[in-house]
Amino acid sequence: FYLSAKAIISPLWGFFYGYFIKLGFLDGWYGLTIAIISSMESYLKYTKAIISKRTPPQHDLSILHLSSITKWRGGEQQVITLVDQLRADGVYTHLVVAKKSELAKYCKKHKLPHTTIRYFNGFNFFAALKINALSKRLRTDVINMHCSPSHTLAIFSNLLGNKARLVLTRRVIYPIKPSYLSIKKYNFPAIERIICVSKAIKDVLSPQIYRDNAFNVVYDGVILDRITSLKNVPSIRTEYQLNDKIIVTIIAALSPEKDHITFLRAAQL
């Protein structure tokens, strides 16, 4: 709607501004011609943008990635790592991320195809309709849900007619809540696969998932080249004068499931 409105208003304003405000009418036919050309240029610019936006990408596989997380942690880095690798393999990927989130900022900075929405914990009817329209335009084959709110939103989208195949990625080791709706949510028939980033997560979920073949374990990883190629990064070795020491560390959020206590106890041995 925004681009369509601009395609109408901008050329009219361009003509009015050039012909009347800039006094183009004083130049006779020459001024009129310049005003018309300027107006047509603006019209063609927005028309091209509309056509580009509505033309679906031509790819063998199109995946929509959904994430409502606003902060940047390991999970968000893994989403980007996955998207980068899929794009390198020729798979079309489009991210649907939360407005003002770190993922949205990253996508904008690195010019990754993305759409921002308000998730409202997944219970957003209008966002589900937007997902459906986006899936139809992009000819989406698979929707990859990367968190609980995106899981909920994708189910709403499916119930509203979205036929894209659903894949859930599970990165947290919490068990499913024992409520009726939570059990139904994770056993939703349209979810073809649940990707667990560790066997431990699979073992936690398995008792509450009805289908034995629902799981795939795909371990998260780190692209070492991204780390070794960094420059001007503060060095622990230099800061603490540990140049000749072997360093063993843990890099993780300070949350109970990361079990920093055991690591610290082991370090005392």
Side-chain angles (χ1 to χ4, degrees), residues 138-200:
L138 299 178
R139 298 178 182 174
T140 299
D141 300 297
V142 177
I143 294 179
N144 192 345
M145 308 162 285
H146 291 278
C147 59
S148 182
S150 66
H151 182 179
T152 303
L153 185 60
I155 289 177
F156 271 118
S157 175
N158 180 272
L159 293 174
L160 292 172
N162 195 334
K163 300 304 180 184
R165 303 161 73 180
L166 302 184
V167 173
L168 173 64
T169 298
R170 183 77 171 178
R171 292 188 173 87
V172 294
I173 202 167
Y174 312 127
I176 301 171
K177 294 179 180 179
S179 66
Y180 174 81
L181 289 179
S182 292
I183 299 297
K184 285 292 185 181
K185 174 181 173 180
Y186 281 87
N187 287 280
F188 190 68
I191 299 177
E192 296 192 15
R193 283 289 184 274
I194 300 177
I195 298 176
C196 301
V197 300
S198 71
K199 186 177 181 299

Short mmCIF file of all heavy atoms in Angstrom, two decimals, residues 138-200:
data_model
loop_
_atom_site.label_atom_id
_atom_site.label_comp_id
_atom_site.label_asym_id
_atom_site.label_seq_id
_atom_site.Cartn_x
_atom_site.Cartn_y
_atom_site.Cartn_z
N LEU A 138 6.42 -15.30 -1.90
CA LEU A 138 7.75 -15.87 -2.02
C LEU A 138 7.73 -17.34 -2.43
O LEU A 138 8.78 -17.96 -2.58
CB LEU A 138 8.51 -15.73 -0.69
CG LEU A 138 8.74 -14.30 -0.19
CD1 LEU A 138 9.44 -14.32 1.16
CD2 LEU A 138 9.54 -13.50 -1.19
N ARG A 139 6.52 -17.89 -2.55
CA ARG A 139 6.37 -19.32 -2.86
C ARG A 139 7.16 -20.17 -1.86
O ARG A 139 7.96 -21.04 -2.23
CB ARG A 139 6.83 -19.62 -4.30
CG ARG A 139 5.99 -18.88 -5.35
CD ARG A 139 6.50 -19.15 -6.75
NE ARG A 139 5.73 -18.41 -7.74
CZ ARG A 139 6.01 -18.36 -9.03
NH1 ARG A 139 7.08 -19.01 -9.49
NH2 ARG A 139 5.27 -17.68 -9.86
N THR A 140 6.91 -19.90 -0.60
CA THR A 140 7.65 -20.55 0.47
C THR A 140 7.34 -22.04 0.54
O THR A 140 6.19 -22.46 0.55
CB THR A 140 7.31 -19.89 1.82
OG1 THR A 140 7.68 -18.51 1.77
CG2 THR A 140 8.03 -20.58 2.97
N ASP A 141 8.39 -22.85 0.60
CA ASP A 141 8.24 -24.30 0.74
C ASP A 141 8.27 -24.73 2.20
O ASP A 141 7.56 -25.65 2.60
CB ASP A 141 9.37 -25.02 -0.02
CG ASP A 141 9.37 -24.69 -1.50
OD1 ASP A 141 8.38 -25.02 -2.17
OD2 ASP A 141 10.35 -24.10 -1.98
N VAL A 142 9.13 -24.07 2.99
CA VAL A 142 9.34 -24.48 4.38
C VAL A 142 9.35 -23.25 5.27
O VAL A 142 9.94 -22.23 4.93
CB VAL A 142 10.68 -25.24 4.55
CG1 VAL A 142 10.92 -25.60 6.02
CG2 VAL A 142 10.71 -26.48 3.68
N ILE A 143 8.69 -23.36 6.42
CA ILE A 143 8.79 -22.34 7.46
C ILE A 143 9.57 -22.95 8.61
O ILE A 143 9.17 -23.96 9.20
CB ILE A 143 7.40 -21.87 7.94
CG1 ILE A 143 6.66 -21.14 6.82
CG2 ILE A 143 7.54 -20.96 9.16
CD1 ILE A 143 5.27 -20.67 7.20
N ASN A 144 10.70 -22.33 8.93
CA ASN A 144 11.55 -22.79 10.02
C ASN A 144 11.30 -21.91 11.23
O ASN A 144 11.58 -20.71 11.21
CB ASN A 144 13.03 -22.73 9.61
CG ASN A 144 13.93 -23.47 10.58
OD1 ASN A 144 13.53 -23.79 11.70
ND2 ASN A 144 15.15 -23.73 10.18
N MET A 145 10.78 -22.50 12.30
CA MET A 145 10.44 -21.76 13.52
C MET A 145 11.58 -21.89 14.51
O MET A 145 11.96 -22.99 14.89
CB MET A 145 9.15 -22.33 14.11
CG MET A 145 8.01 -22.41 13.10
SD MET A 145 6.69 -23.54 13.62
CE MET A 145 7.45 -25.14 13.32
N HIS A 146 12.11 -20.74 14.96
CA HIS A 146 13.32 -20.76 15.78
C HIS A 146 13.08 -20.46 17.26
O HIS A 146 14.04 -20.39 18.02
CB HIS A 146 14.34 -19.77 15.22
CG HIS A 146 14.91 -20.19 13.90
ND1 HIS A 146 15.95 -21.08 13.79
CD2 HIS A 146 14.57 -19.85 12.62
CE1 HIS A 146 16.25 -21.27 12.51
NE2 HIS A 146 15.43 -20.53 11.79
N CYS A 147 11.84 -20.25 17.66
CA CYS A 147 11.55 -19.97 19.07
C CYS A 147 10.07 -20.23 19.32
O CYS A 147 9.29 -20.46 18.39
CB CYS A 147 11.92 -18.53 19.43
SG CYS A 147 11.06 -17.30 18.44
N SER A 148 9.67 -20.16 20.58
CA SER A 148 8.30 -20.50 20.94
C SER A 148 7.25 -19.56 20.33
O SER A 148 6.25 -20.03 19.77
CB SER A 148 8.15 -20.53 22.46
OG SER A 148 6.85 -20.89 22.83
N PRO A 149 7.41 -18.22 20.40
CA PRO A 149 6.41 -17.35 19.76
C PRO A 149 6.29 -17.56 18.26
O PRO A 149 5.19 -17.50 17.70
CB PRO A 149 6.93 -15.94 20.09
CG PRO A 149 7.70 -16.12 21.35
CD PRO A 149 8.38 -17.45 21.20
N SER A 150 7.42 -17.81 17.59
CA SER A 150 7.36 -18.06 16.15
C SER A 150 6.67 -19.40 15.87
O SER A 150 5.99 -19.56 14.85
CB SER A 150 8.76 -18.05 15.53
OG SER A 150 9.55 -19.11 16.02
N HIS A 151 6.83 -20.35 16.78
CA HIS A 151 6.15 -21.64 16.70
C HIS A 151 4.63 -21.42 16.74
O HIS A 151 3.89 -21.94 15.90
CB HIS A 151 6.62 -22.50 17.88
CG HIS A 151 6.05 -23.87 17.93
ND1 HIS A 151 6.38 -24.77 18.92
CD2 HIS A 151 5.14 -24.51 17.15
CE1 HIS A 151 5.72 -25.90 18.73
NE2 HIS A 151 4.96 -25.76 17.67
N THR A 152 4.18 -20.63 17.70
CA THR A 152 2.75 -20.32 17.84
C THR A 152 2.22 -19.61 16.60
O THR A 152 1.16 -19.95 16.07
CB THR A 152 2.51 -19.45 19.08
OG1 THR A 152 3.01 -20.12 20.24
CG2 THR A 152 1.03 -19.16 19.27
N LEU A 153 2.98 -18.61 16.13
CA LEU A 153 2.54 -17.83 14.97
C LEU A 153 2.45 -18.69 13.72
O LEU A 153 1.51 -18.54 12.92
CB LEU A 153 3.51 -16.67 14.74
CG LEU A 153 3.12 -15.68 13.65
CD1 LEU A 153 1.78 -15.02 13.95
CD2 LEU A 153 4.20 -14.61 13.48
N ALA A 154 3.39 -19.60 13.54
CA ALA A 154 3.37 -20.47 12.36
C ALA A 154 2.16 -21.40 12.39
O ALA A 154 1.58 -21.72 11.34
CB ALA A 154 4.66 -21.28 12.28
N ILE A 155 1.76 -21.84 13.57
CA ILE A 155 0.56 -22.68 13.68
C ILE A 155 -0.68 -21.88 13.30
O ILE A 155 -1.55 -22.37 12.56
CB ILE A 155 0.44 -23.25 15.11
CG1 ILE A 155 1.52 -24.30 15.34
CG2 ILE A 155 -0.94 -23.85 15.33
CD1 ILE A 155 1.55 -24.87 16.73
N PHE A 156 -0.78 -20.63 13.78
CA PHE A 156 -1.88 -19.77 13.38
C PHE A 156 -1.90 -19.60 11.86
O PHE A 156 -2.96 -19.66 11.22
CB PHE A 156 -1.77 -18.39 14.04
CG PHE A 156 -2.44 -18.30 15.37
CD1 PHE A 156 -1.70 -18.02 16.51
CD2 PHE A 156 -3.80 -18.49 15.50
CE1 PHE A 156 -2.31 -17.94 17.74
CE2 PHE A 156 -4.42 -18.40 16.73
CZ PHE A 156 -3.68 -18.13 17.86
N SER A 157 -0.73 -19.38 11.29
CA SER A 157 -0.62 -19.21 9.84
C SER A 157 -1.11 -20.46 9.12
O SER A 157 -1.82 -20.37 8.10
CB SER A 157 0.84 -18.91 9.47
OG SER A 157 1.00 -18.85 8.07
N ASN A 158 -0.73 -21.62 9.62
CA ASN A 158 -1.17 -22.88 9.01
C ASN A 158 -2.68 -23.04 9.10
O ASN A 158 -3.34 -23.45 8.13
CB ASN A 158 -0.45 -24.04 9.69
CG ASN A 158 -0.85 -25.39 9.12
OD1 ASN A 158 -1.83 -26.01 9.56
ND2 ASN A 158 -0.10 -25.86 8.13
N LEU A 159 -3.24 -22.72 10.24
CA LEU A 159 -4.69 -22.85 10.42
C LEU A 159 -5.45 -21.89 9.52
O LEU A 159 -6.61 -22.14 9.18
CB LEU A 159 -5.05 -22.59 11.89
CG LEU A 159 -4.55 -23.64 12.89
CD1 LEU A 159 -4.85 -23.20 14.32
CD2 LEU A 159 -5.18 -25.00 12.61
N LEU A 160 -4.79 -20.80 9.10
CA LEU A 160 -5.40 -19.83 8.20
C LEU A 160 -5.15 -20.16 6.73
O LEU A 160 -5.45 -19.36 5.86
CB LEU A 160 -4.89 -18.42 8.51
CG LEU A 160 -5.35 -17.83 9.86
CD1 LEU A 160 -4.63 -16.52 10.14
CD2 LEU A 160 -6.86 -17.61 9.84
N GLY A 161 -4.58 -21.33 6.48
CA GLY A 161 -4.47 -21.79 5.10
C GLY A 161 -3.08 -21.87 4.52
O GLY A 161 -2.92 -22.23 3.35
N ASN A 162 -2.06 -21.53 5.28
CA ASN A 162 -0.68 -21.59 4.78
C ASN A 162 -0.27 -23.06 4.65
O ASN A 162 -0.28 -23.80 5.63
CB ASN A 162 0.27 -20.86 5.72
CG ASN A 162 1.62 -20.58 5.09
OD1 ASN A 162 2.06 -21.29 4.19
ND2 ASN A 162 2.28 -19.54 5.56
N LYS A 163 0.12 -23.47 3.46
CA LYS A 163 0.45 -24.88 3.20
C LYS A 163 1.95 -25.17 3.25
O LYS A 163 2.37 -26.29 2.93
CB LYS A 163 -0.10 -25.30 1.83
CG LYS A 163 -1.62 -25.17 1.71
CD LYS A 163 -2.33 -25.96 2.79
CE LYS A 163 -3.85 -25.83 2.65
NZ LYS A 163 -4.56 -26.53 3.76
N ALA A 164 2.76 -24.20 3.63
CA ALA A 164 4.20 -24.44 3.72
C ALA A 164 4.48 -25.49 4.80
O ALA A 164 3.79 -25.58 5.81
CB ALA A 164 4.93 -23.14 4.05
N ARG A 165 5.49 -26.29 4.57
CA ARG A 165 5.86 -27.33 5.53
C ARG A 165 6.53 -26.69 6.74
O ARG A 165 7.30 -25.75 6.61
CB ARG A 165 6.79 -28.33 4.86
CG ARG A 165 6.17 -28.96 3.63
CD ARG A 165 7.19 -29.59 2.71
NE ARG A 165 7.72 -30.83 3.28
CZ ARG A 165 8.63 -31.58 2.66
NH1 ARG A 165 9.11 -31.20 1.49
NH2 ARG A 165 9.06 -32.69 3.22
N LEU A 166 6.24 -27.21 7.92
CA LEU A 166 6.74 -26.61 9.16
C LEU A 166 7.89 -27.43 9.74
O LEU A 166 7.80 -28.66 9.85
CB LEU A 166 5.62 -26.50 10.19
CG LEU A 166 4.39 -25.68 9.78
CD1 LEU A 166 3.41 -25.58 10.95
CD2 LEU A 166 4.78 -24.28 9.31
N VAL A 167 8.95 -26.72 10.12
CA VAL A 167 10.09 -27.33 10.79
C VAL A 167 10.38 -26.50 12.03
O VAL A 167 10.52 -25.28 11.95
CB VAL A 167 11.33 -27.38 9.87
CG1 VAL A 167 12.55 -27.86 10.66
CG2 VAL A 167 11.07 -28.29 8.67
N LEU A 168 10.49 -27.17 13.17
CA LEU A 168 10.77 -26.50 14.43
C LEU A 168 12.21 -26.76 14.87
O LEU A 168 12.63 -27.92 14.91
CB LEU A 168 9.80 -26.99 15.51
CG LEU A 168 10.06 -26.51 16.95
CD1 LEU A 168 9.89 -25.00 17.04
CD2 LEU A 168 9.14 -27.22 17.93
N THR A 169 12.94 -25.70 15.17
CA THR A 169 14.29 -25.83 15.72
C THR A 169 14.22 -25.59 17.22
O THR A 169 13.69 -24.56 17.66
CB THR A 169 15.27 -24.84 15.07
OG1 THR A 169 15.37 -25.13 13.67
CG2 THR A 169 16.65 -24.98 15.69
N ARG A 170 14.75 -26.52 17.99
CA ARG A 170 14.70 -26.43 19.45
C ARG A 170 16.12 -26.31 19.99
O ARG A 170 16.93 -27.23 19.83
CB ARG A 170 14.01 -27.68 20.01
CG ARG A 170 13.84 -27.67 21.52
CD ARG A 170 12.71 -26.79 21.96
NE ARG A 170 12.43 -26.98 23.39
CZ ARG A 170 11.51 -26.30 24.06
NH1 ARG A 170 10.77 -25.41 23.44
NH2 ARG A 170 11.32 -26.53 25.35
N ARG A 171 16.42 -25.17 20.64
CA ARG A 171 17.77 -24.93 21.15
C ARG A 171 17.83 -24.93 22.68
O ARG A 171 18.91 -24.87 23.24
CB ARG A 171 18.29 -23.58 20.63
CG ARG A 171 18.56 -23.58 19.14
CD ARG A 171 19.27 -22.31 18.69
NE ARG A 171 19.66 -22.40 17.31
CZ ARG A 171 18.88 -22.06 16.29
NH1 ARG A 171 17.67 -21.60 16.53
NH2 ARG A 171 19.29 -22.19 15.05
N VAL A 172 16.70 -24.92 23.33
CA VAL A 172 16.69 -24.89 24.80
C VAL A 172 16.33 -26.27 25.33
O VAL A 172 15.60 -27.04 24.69
CB VAL A 172 15.70 -23.84 25.33
CG1 VAL A 172 16.17 -22.44 24.96
CG2 VAL A 172 14.29 -24.08 24.79
N ILE A 173 16.81 -26.57 26.52
CA ILE A 173 16.66 -27.91 27.07
C ILE A 173 15.49 -28.01 28.04
O ILE A 173 15.30 -29.03 28.70
CB ILE A 173 17.98 -28.35 27.73
CG1 ILE A 173 18.06 -29.88 27.82
CG2 ILE A 173 18.15 -27.68 29.10
CD1 ILE A 173 19.43 -30.40 28.18
N TYR A 174 14.68 -26.97 28.13
CA TYR A 174 13.53 -27.01 29.02
C TYR A 174 12.53 -28.05 28.53
O TYR A 174 12.28 -28.18 27.33
CB TYR A 174 12.82 -25.66 29.09
CG TYR A 174 13.73 -24.48 29.30
CD1 TYR A 174 13.68 -23.39 28.45
CD2 TYR A 174 14.63 -24.46 30.36
CE1 TYR A 174 14.51 -22.29 28.64
CE2 TYR A 174 15.47 -23.36 30.56
CZ TYR A 174 15.40 -22.30 29.70
OH TYR A 174 16.23 -21.22 29.88
N PRO A 175 11.90 -28.78 29.44
CA PRO A 175 10.82 -29.70 29.02
C PRO A 175 9.58 -28.92 28.60
O PRO A 175 9.42 -27.73 28.95
CB PRO A 175 10.55 -30.52 30.28
CG PRO A 175 10.99 -29.64 31.41
CD PRO A 175 12.16 -28.85 30.90
N ILE A 176 8.74 -29.55 27.83
CA ILE A 176 7.48 -28.92 27.41
C ILE A 176 6.57 -28.78 28.62
O ILE A 176 6.47 -29.69 29.46
CB ILE A 176 6.79 -29.78 26.32
CG1 ILE A 176 7.71 -29.93 25.11
CG2 ILE A 176 5.46 -29.16 25.91
CD1 ILE A 176 7.20 -30.92 24.09
N LYS A 177 5.88 -27.66 28.72
CA LYS A 177 4.94 -27.47 29.82
C LYS A 177 3.85 -28.55 29.75
O LYS A 177 3.38 -28.89 28.66
CB LYS A 177 4.30 -26.09 29.75
CG LYS A 177 5.27 -24.95 29.99
CD LYS A 177 4.58 -23.60 29.88
CE LYS A 177 5.56 -22.46 30.11
NZ LYS A 177 4.92 -21.13 29.98
N PRO A 178 3.44 -29.10 30.89
CA PRO A 178 2.49 -30.22 30.88
C PRO A 178 1.04 -29.82 30.60
O PRO A 178 0.12 -30.62 30.83
CB PRO A 178 2.63 -30.79 32.30
CG PRO A 178 3.05 -29.63 33.13
CD PRO A 178 3.92 -28.78 32.25
N SER A 179 0.81 -28.61 30.10
CA SER A 179 -0.57 -28.18 29.82
C SER A 179 -1.06 -28.80 28.51
O SER A 179 -0.27 -29.18 27.63
CB SER A 179 -0.64 -26.66 29.72
OG SER A 179 0.09 -26.20 28.59
N TYR A 180 -2.37 -28.88 28.37
CA TYR A 180 -2.99 -29.48 27.18
C TYR A 180 -2.58 -28.74 25.91
O TYR A 180 -2.20 -29.37 24.91
CB TYR A 180 -4.52 -29.45 27.34
CG TYR A 180 -5.26 -29.90 26.11
CD1 TYR A 180 -5.44 -31.25 25.83
CD2 TYR A 180 -5.80 -28.97 25.21
CE1 TYR A 180 -6.12 -31.68 24.70
CE2 TYR A 180 -6.49 -29.37 24.08
CZ TYR A 180 -6.64 -30.73 23.83
OH TYR A 180 -7.32 -31.14 22.70
N LEU A 181 -2.62 -27.39 25.94
CA LEU A 181 -2.31 -26.61 24.73
C LEU A 181 -0.84 -26.74 24.34
O LEU A 181 -0.52 -26.80 23.15
CB LEU A 181 -2.67 -25.14 24.96
CG LEU A 181 -4.17 -24.82 25.01
CD1 LEU A 181 -4.38 -23.33 25.26
CD2 LEU A 181 -4.87 -25.22 23.71
N SER A 182 0.05 -26.78 25.32
CA SER A 182 1.48 -26.92 25.00
C SER A 182 1.76 -28.27 24.36
O SER A 182 2.52 -28.36 23.38
CB SER A 182 2.31 -26.77 26.28
OG SER A 182 2.26 -25.44 26.76
N ILE A 183 1.16 -29.33 24.88
CA ILE A 183 1.35 -30.66 24.29
C ILE A 183 0.82 -30.68 22.86
O ILE A 183 1.47 -31.22 21.94
CB ILE A 183 0.66 -31.74 25.15
CG1 ILE A 183 1.26 -31.79 26.55
CG2 ILE A 183 0.78 -33.09 24.48
CD1 ILE A 183 2.71 -32.16 26.61
N LYS A 184 -0.34 -30.08 22.65
CA LYS A 184 -0.92 -30.03 21.31
C LYS A 184 -0.04 -29.19 20.37
O LYS A 184 0.11 -29.51 19.19
CB LYS A 184 -2.33 -29.43 21.37
CG LYS A 184 -3.39 -30.37 21.91
CD LYS A 184 -3.62 -31.52 20.93
CE LYS A 184 -4.76 -32.42 21.37
NZ LYS A 184 -4.97 -33.56 20.43
N LYS A 185 0.51 -28.13 20.90
CA LYS A 185 1.35 -27.24 20.09
C LYS A 185 2.56 -27.98 19.53
O LYS A 185 2.89 -27.85 18.35
CB LYS A 185 1.78 -26.05 20.95
CG LYS A 185 2.77 -25.10 20.30
CD LYS A 185 3.13 -23.97 21.27
CE LYS A 185 4.24 -23.10 20.74
NZ LYS A 185 4.58 -22.00 21.67
N TYR A 186 3.20 -28.78 20.37
CA TYR A 186 4.40 -29.49 19.92
C TYR A 186 4.09 -30.75 19.13
O TYR A 186 4.97 -31.28 18.46
CB TYR A 186 5.29 -29.82 21.13
CG TYR A 186 6.08 -28.63 21.59
CD1 TYR A 186 5.55 -27.72 22.50
CD2 TYR A 186 7.35 -28.39 21.08
CE1 TYR A 186 6.27 -26.61 22.90
CE2 TYR A 186 8.08 -27.28 21.48
CZ TYR A 186 7.53 -26.38 22.39
OH TYR A 186 8.23 -25.28 22.78
N ASN A 187 2.86 -31.20 19.19
CA ASN A 187 2.45 -32.35 18.40
C ASN A 187 1.53 -31.95 17.24
O ASN A 187 0.81 -32.79 16.71
CB ASN A 187 1.73 -33.37 19.29
CG ASN A 187 2.69 -34.11 20.21
OD1 ASN A 187 3.37 -35.05 19.81
ND2 ASN A 187 2.76 -33.67 21.47
N PHE A 188 1.60 -30.67 16.87
CA PHE A 188 0.77 -30.18 15.77
C PHE A 188 1.08 -30.98 14.50
O PHE A 188 2.25 -31.13 14.12
CB PHE A 188 1.04 -28.70 15.54
CG PHE A 188 0.09 -28.04 14.60
CD1 PHE A 188 -1.24 -27.86 14.94
CD2 PHE A 188 0.52 -27.60 13.35
CE1 PHE A 188 -2.13 -27.24 14.07
CE2 PHE A 188 -0.36 -26.98 12.47
CZ PHE A 188 -1.69 -26.81 12.83
N PRO A 189 0.07 -31.53 13.84
CA PRO A 189 0.31 -32.46 12.72
C PRO A 189 1.14 -31.89 11.57
O PRO A 189 1.84 -32.64 10.89
CB PRO A 189 -1.11 -32.80 12.25
CG PRO A 189 -1.99 -32.53 13.42
CD PRO A 189 -1.36 -31.39 14.15
N ALA A 190 1.07 -30.57 11.34
CA ALA A 190 1.79 -29.99 10.19
C ALA A 190 3.29 -29.86 10.44
O ALA A 190 4.04 -29.59 9.50
CB ALA A 190 1.19 -28.62 9.85
N ILE A 191 3.74 -30.05 11.68
CA ILE A 191 5.17 -29.98 11.96
C ILE A 191 5.81 -31.29 11.52
O ILE A 191 5.60 -32.34 12.12
CB ILE A 191 5.44 -29.73 13.46
CG1 ILE A 191 4.83 -28.40 13.90
CG2 ILE A 191 6.94 -29.74 13.75
CD1 ILE A 191 4.97 -28.11 15.38
N GLU A 192 6.60 -31.22 10.46
CA GLU A 192 7.18 -32.43 9.89
C GLU A 192 8.46 -32.87 10.61
O GLU A 192 8.76 -34.06 10.65
CB GLU A 192 7.46 -32.22 8.40
CG GLU A 192 6.19 -31.99 7.59
CD GLU A 192 6.45 -32.07 6.10
OE1 GLU A 192 7.52 -32.58 5.70
OE2 GLU A 192 5.57 -31.63 5.33
N ARG A 193 9.21 -31.92 11.15
CA ARG A 193 10.45 -32.26 11.83
C ARG A 193 10.68 -31.31 13.00
O ARG A 193 10.35 -30.13 12.95
CB ARG A 193 11.66 -32.17 10.88
CG ARG A 193 11.79 -33.32 9.93
CD ARG A 193 12.19 -34.61 10.63
NE ARG A 193 12.41 -35.71 9.71
CZ ARG A 193 11.46 -36.51 9.26
NH1 ARG A 193 10.21 -36.32 9.66
NH2 ARG A 193 11.75 -37.49 8.43
N ILE A 194 11.27 -31.88 14.06
CA ILE A 194 11.76 -31.08 15.18
C ILE A 194 13.28 -31.27 15.20
O ILE A 194 13.78 -32.37 15.44
CB ILE A 194 11.15 -31.52 16.51
CG1 ILE A 194 9.62 -31.37 16.47
CG2 ILE A 194 11.74 -30.70 17.66
CD1 ILE A 194 8.93 -31.85 17.74
N ILE A 195 14.00 -30.18 14.91
CA ILE A 195 15.46 -30.24 14.88
C ILE A 195 15.99 -29.84 16.25
O ILE A 195 15.77 -28.71 16.72
CB ILE A 195 16.03 -29.30 13.80
CG1 ILE A 195 15.54 -29.74 12.42
CG2 ILE A 195 17.56 -29.29 13.83
CD1 ILE A 195 15.96 -28.82 11.30
N CYS A 196 16.67 -30.75 16.91
CA CYS A 196 17.27 -30.49 18.21
C CYS A 196 18.76 -30.28 18.03
O CYS A 196 19.41 -31.02 17.27
CB CYS A 196 17.03 -31.66 19.16
SG CYS A 196 15.28 -32.02 19.44
N VAL A 197 19.31 -29.30 18.73
CA VAL A 197 20.73 -28.99 18.54
C VAL A 197 21.61 -29.87 19.43
O VAL A 197 22.84 -29.73 19.41
CB VAL A 197 21.02 -27.50 18.82
CG1 VAL A 197 20.23 -26.62 17.87
CG2 VAL A 197 20.73 -27.14 20.27
N SER A 198 21.00 -30.79 20.17
CA SER A 198 21.78 -31.76 20.93
C SER A 198 20.89 -32.96 21.23
O SER A 198 19.65 -32.86 21.23
CB SER A 198 22.30 -31.16 22.24
OG SER A 198 21.24 -30.96 23.16
N LYS A 199 21.51 -34.09 21.50
CA LYS A 199 20.78 -35.29 21.85
C LYS A 199 20.07 -35.11 23.20
O LYS A 199 19.00 -35.66 23.44
CB LYS A 199 21.71 -36.49 21.90
CG LYS A 199 21.00 -37.83 22.14
CD LYS A 199 21.97 -38.98 22.09
CE LYS A 199 21.25 -40.30 22.30
NZ LYS A 199 20.56 -40.38 23.60
N ALA A 200 20.68 -34.32 24.09
CA ALA A 200 20.07 -34.08 25.40
C ALA A 200 18.71 -33.39 25.26
O ALA A 200 17.76 -33.74 25.98
CB ALA A 200 21.01 -33.22 26.26
#
